[in-house]
Amino acid sequence: ARKMNLIIISDEVYNFIRYKGEPQSMLSFAPERTVVVSSASKEYLMPGARIGYVLSTDEIFTNTWMPNMIRSFSSSPNTLGQNMLIKLLKEEVKDFKNGRSPQIITEIKKELKSRCDLIISILREKGFTLAGRDKDFPSGAISVLVRLPKDIEFDDKAIVEKALELEKFSAIPASVFGAPNCIRFGYAGMTKEAIKNLSKNLQDVLEFFRR
């Protein structure tokens, strides 16, 4: 980027939702030419709040580039979402002043990690295997990517469509992300009870394709 005089726009939406290791930002590698784009809606599990933010160390981006970009939009973040975020940020400031990590993020990660553990154990029990770079265990985020059981001859889209038709579960066929025969399960919005029920619902859908 330095050689070609390029601006790095880094999507770091899930950077703080990590279960192992510390978050790393492109700002630490090339701060003078990096713009970080992220989402408070995902960091604080506020679906529908539609609150995003941009970080940069260079005032050229914050004082010139950002105002021009904002003027190109016809709407702004909703009032409720902004008020929710302000309240959360005030709590974080208190934590930083007291010399500790933000308690809200810590609690969110702890809860997400427990849901992640649970859904992975259920998926493995039904013959699914983890896909992606972290095959032993996801390092973060709010979803898991799994491969279909080997004895299922139908593709991921057929599985997901049948699950919706039978009203068993909702998931995303990962072929749309370039991962054929894989399914992405999001667990951020699922209660632990719903995740436990997923075991039987998965079994019902898989048995349909094994007939």
Side-chain angles (χ1 to χ4, degrees):
R2 290 188 177 107
K3 183 178 180 180
M4 302 297 293
N5 193 30
L6 300 175
I7 296 174
I8 301 170
I9 299 179
S10 181
D11 181 352
E12 301 182 5
V13 168
Y14 298 112
N15 195 28
F16 290 101
I17 305 178
R18 297 180 63 87
Y19 308 137
K20 56 184 179 182
E22 293 297 323
Q24 285 191 322
S25 172
M26 280 301 298
L27 282 170
S28 63
F29 298 101
E32 80 285 359
R33 58 181 61 254
T34 296
V35 177
V36 169
V37 180
S38 195
S39 167
S41 302
K42 288 186 171 63
E43 283 181 12
Y44 299 102
L45 300 186
M46 301 189 301
R50 315 303 297 171
I51 302 292
Y53 63 88
V54 173
L55 294 175
S56 177
T57 61
D58 196 320
E59 63 180 20
I60 292 177
F61 299 128
T62 54
N63 294 344
T64 304
W65 183 75
M66 274 302 297
N68 288 335
M69 187 186 76
I70 291 173
R71 280 196 291 270
S72 69
F73 290 97
S74 59
S75 61
S76 62
N78 63 86
T79 302
L80 177 60
Q82 292 183 68
N83 288 335
M84 291 168 62
L85 180 58
I86 288 172
K87 183 176 181 180
L88 291 170
L89 291 177
K90 285 181 177 179
E91 292 299 318
E92 284 200 0
V93 169
K94 290 180 183 178
D95 289 333
F96 281 125
K97 286 183 176 180
N98 291 322
R100 60 174 181 259
S101 299
Q103 188 63 25
I104 295 172
I105 294 293
T106 300
E107 292 176 359
I108 287 174
K109 288 197 295 184
K110 181 179 179 181
E111 177 60 28
L112 286 176
K113 174 68 163 54
S114 66
R115 296 185 196 183
C116 185
D117 288 342
L118 182 58
I119 196 170
I120 285 176
S121 67
I122 289 173
L123 290 169
R124 282 176 168 164
E125 178 186 295
K126 298 305 177 184
F128 290 85
T129 56
L130 292 179
R133 291 180 301 175
D134 299 298
K135 294 183 179 179
D136 294 327
F137 193 86
S139 60
I142 57 177
S143 61
V144 290
L145 188 69
V146 292
R147 299 188 188 282
L148 293 173
K150 293 181 179 179
D151 62 330
I152 299 297
E153 298 180 358
F154 294 84
D155 64 16
D156 52 332
K157 186 177 180 181
I159 299 290
V160 170
E161 288 180 347
K162 179 55 66 174
L164 290 174
E165 180 185 326
L166 298 175
E167 299 182 358
K168 294 298 182 179
F169 61 82
S170 174
I172 299 177
S175 54
V176 300
F177 303 116
N181 296 320
C182 294
I183 296 178
R184 191 178 81 167
F185 289 90
Y187 51 83
M190 298 177 69
T191 63
K192 289 183 179 178
E193 190 63 32
I195 295 175
K196 291 176 182 177
N197 291 335
L198 179 63
S199 178
K200 181 182 183 304
N201 292 335
L202 270 172
Q203 187 66 36
D204 292 342
V205 174
L206 294 178
E207 286 304 317
F208 178 88
F209 288 97
R210 286 174 174 141
R211 294 172 186 170

